[in-house]
Amino acid sequence: MKTKRKQTSNKLLNLILWIIVLILPYLCYRSFTLPLQFPDEYSEKLLLICAAAYLAVFLAVLFAVQRFPEKGLVIFGYVMIACAAAAQLYIADQMQLLPEIDLFFTIDQNKAMVEEGLHAFTNRAYFGVYTNNIPLTIVIYWVFRMAKALGFHNYELAGGIFNVGMNLLTYMAGYGIIRRVTSERPAFLLLVVLLTNPALYAYASYYYTDTISLGLTTFAIYLFVCAVQATGKSGKRQIVLFVLSGAVLFWAAKVRVTTLFVLIAAMVYAVIMGEWKKLVKLGIPVMAGLLAGMALYLPLYHYQVPFDTKDTDITWQHFVAMGADMETTGRYNQGDYEETCEQPTHEEKVVYNVAKWKKRVRENGIAGSWTLICNKEATVWSYGSKQYYQYVQFVKDKQPIYDWIEGEHAIYFRTYMQAYNSLFLSAILASMLAALLKRKQKRILTCVAAIDWLGAVMFYVLWEAHPRQSVSYLFLMTMLLIPLFEIAVGRGAGDSDIEEE
């Protein structure tokens, strides 16, 4: 009976990996061909040079890693993390933002509150509509307030430093997770991939939901893995770690709701494997943590948000209707925003946008809907630049680094971003094929990461699409490379995992 159950579970996991393998070639193709569509932003020749150079350097690192002492690799890994954080601090200092989009309202509101000694939001016109940005603004308020308490009044820089701290948390917690679920050599290679991902450098100064939720999510996963591996050592310590993991995950989900995909993915994996007892055993303390996070958030929300948003909130149906717009390829539409805001009540907003979505789906037809879905997925996953330049173009002073990241010499950085993204997606494809060809049991984290990413792909079939939205998935996407790197350094699955010790 157990053998039959195991065979069924493996078939379901293989099906998930096969779906990913079928999706990735298209995304890889679109990523490699983007320079042909945007000749002013990229150079096809330079793209190939960047891709070849990165691949050559990485192969040299792979050769060196196989011969370097493991203890030395760990030390060198932390040195590289420190260098990455220092580089991002420099970028945040040199590119202090004066944004003219969503982050502007967060900064403007919090600066006014902190400087005037207020605690309640006053910009009802914005936050009454974009309620999804309220949790982020609450977090940044306390960052600004702490900066003022320390006598630091450059709030834009304070936000940038906090964002770099979130990136550092991603690196530190991420490396901690990797070292716990695989051997030191593949872990080092995964860290190299994570540290050389240019997206976190491009967004180093932009303290928005993507990078903040990424850091919190990675930290929550780290706490969860530590809790699982603490079994038999200290029951109280394990429970505390599970609760903390749930609490951190709650805040990550409030900042960016798609963070919950990783929790859903873990639950789906447990169901597939028939681990009902373990699901209940681990789920109860994690759920307690989620409730603890909520218990902290709700008083803060009511303390800082003095107005009712029920009838002004833009509603999630609005984003689904916008995602079905063929003319904008499922991206942001100012006309949709204005029409939604014209509806006087929450119920009317819902009815209006559901009707608009149905109308657009009918007009698109099957062929049009398929084309739209393909273009939306390419928008989210195949744009190496993540369209960072839309968000970091407005700064206090244009220092020399600005020219290389956003200014007249930015073509080199953007081309590197595109080359990296193309290689990254191609490596994930190779890794998923390697995982399918392995006869040994697949790693839990790899399977959870695969389910998480596939869930995200399905989500953006319906939702509004934007290149920046893939940033919050970067760590778990990197975890999809575990099978490939374990083969590359001769470490097979089963050497270690997040199973209970």
Side-chain angles (χ1 to χ4, degrees), residues 10 102 159 207 226 229 242 312 346 361 381 389 417-418 439 488:
N10 288 334
D102 288 315
Y207 38 107
C226 289
Q229 295 186 344
F242 276 131
T312 57
H346 175 85
V361 171
W381 310 109
Y389 40 85
M417 295 186 79
Q418 195 61 47
R439 292 186 178 181

Side-chain angles (χ1 to χ4, degrees), residues 463-476:
W463 207 253
E464 171 206 2
H466 194 285
R468 199 195 69 227
Q469 290 165 338
S470 60
V471 173
S472 57
Y473 300 98
L474 289 179
F475 172 71
L476 283 168

Side-chain angles (χ1 to χ4, degrees), residues 217 249-250 252-253 256-265 290 452:
T217 303
L249 188 63
F250 174 86
R256 192 167 190 85
V257 71
T258 51
T259 294
L260 287 176
F261 287 171
V262 68
L263 181 61
I264 296 170
L290 291 170
D452 175 83

Side-chain angles (χ1 to χ4, degrees), residues 26 30 326 329 364-378:
Y26 171 74
R30 289 295 301 270
M326 183 70 79
T329 321
N364 293 342
I366 295 175
S369 295
W370 176 251
T371 300
L372 177 62
I373 290 169
C374 290
N375 286 330
K376 284 171 64 179
E377 297 296 347

Side-chain angles (χ1 to χ4, degrees), residues 268-303:
V268 169
Y269 175 82
V271 171
I272 289 174
M273 299 305 293
E275 299 284 358
W276 295 100
K277 290 183 179 179
K278 188 174 290 187
L279 181 61
V280 174
K281 177 184 175 183
L282 305 185
I284 290 175
V286 172
M287 188 61 66
L290 291 170
L291 293 174
M294 184 186 299
L296 175 61
Y297 173 76
L298 288 178
L300 275 176
Y301 178 89
H302 292 298
Y303 176 69

Side-chain angles (χ1 to χ4, degrees), residues 174-280:
Y175 192 36
I177 294 166
I178 298 165
R179 291 184 61 210
R180 284 175 173 269
V181 302
T182 189
S183 308
E184 293 291 359
R185 298 185 195 282
F188 183 83
L189 292 175
L190 288 160
L191 178 64
V192 169
V193 171
L194 191 60
L195 290 174
T196 55
N197 192 322
L200 296 184
Y201 298 85
Y203 279 106
S205 57
Y206 190 76
Y207 38 107
Y208 201 56
T209 59
D210 312 274
T211 49
I212 294 174
S213 66
L214 175 62
L216 293 175
T217 303
T218 308
F219 185 48
I221 297 171
Y222 174 73
L223 292 171
F224 183 86
V225 172
C226 289
V228 171
Q229 295 186 344
T231 299
K233 296 179 181 179
S234 171
K236 291 182 179 178
R237 178 172 177 267
Q238 185 186 40
I239 292 173
V240 169
L241 288 171
F242 276 131
V243 171
L244 286 174
S245 174
V248 174
L249 188 63
F250 174 86
W251 277 89
K254 289 306 296 182
V255 171
R256 192 167 190 85
V257 71
T258 51
T259 294
L260 287 176
F261 287 171
V262 68
L263 181 61
I264 296 170
M267 294 171 64
V268 169
Y269 175 82
V271 171
I272 289 174
M273 299 305 293
E275 299 284 358
W276 295 100
K277 290 183 179 179
K278 188 174 290 187
L279 181 61
V280 174

Side-chain angles (χ1 to χ4, degrees), residues 86-97 154 156-157 160-161 204-205 392 394-403 405:
Q88 291 177 15
L89 277 174
Y90 175 73
I91 294 171
D93 176 63
Q94 296 294 296
M95 296 183 63
Q96 297 175 34
L97 300 183
N154 187 340
E156 291 82 5
L157 179 56
I161 293 172
S205 57
V392 304
F394 304 107
V395 295
K396 287 183 177 180
D397 297 300
K398 294 183 178 179
Q399 303 292 341
I401 190 67
Y402 180 90
D403 287 335
I405 292 180

Side-chain angles (χ1 to χ4, degrees), residues 293-337:
M294 184 186 299
L296 175 61
Y297 173 76
L298 288 178
L300 275 176
Y301 178 89
H302 292 298
Y303 176 69
Q304 296 195 242
V305 183
F307 43 81
D308 182 21
T309 63
K310 180 181 181 299
D311 287 326
T312 57
D313 184 3
I314 204 163
T315 78
W316 62 266
Q317 290 86 356
H318 161 80
F319 297 99
V320 174
M322 196 155 49
D325 188 354
M326 183 70 79
E327 292 184 6
T328 62
T329 321
R331 301 181 69 168
Y332 178 80
N333 185 333
Q334 180 65 23
D336 276 6
Y337 164 74

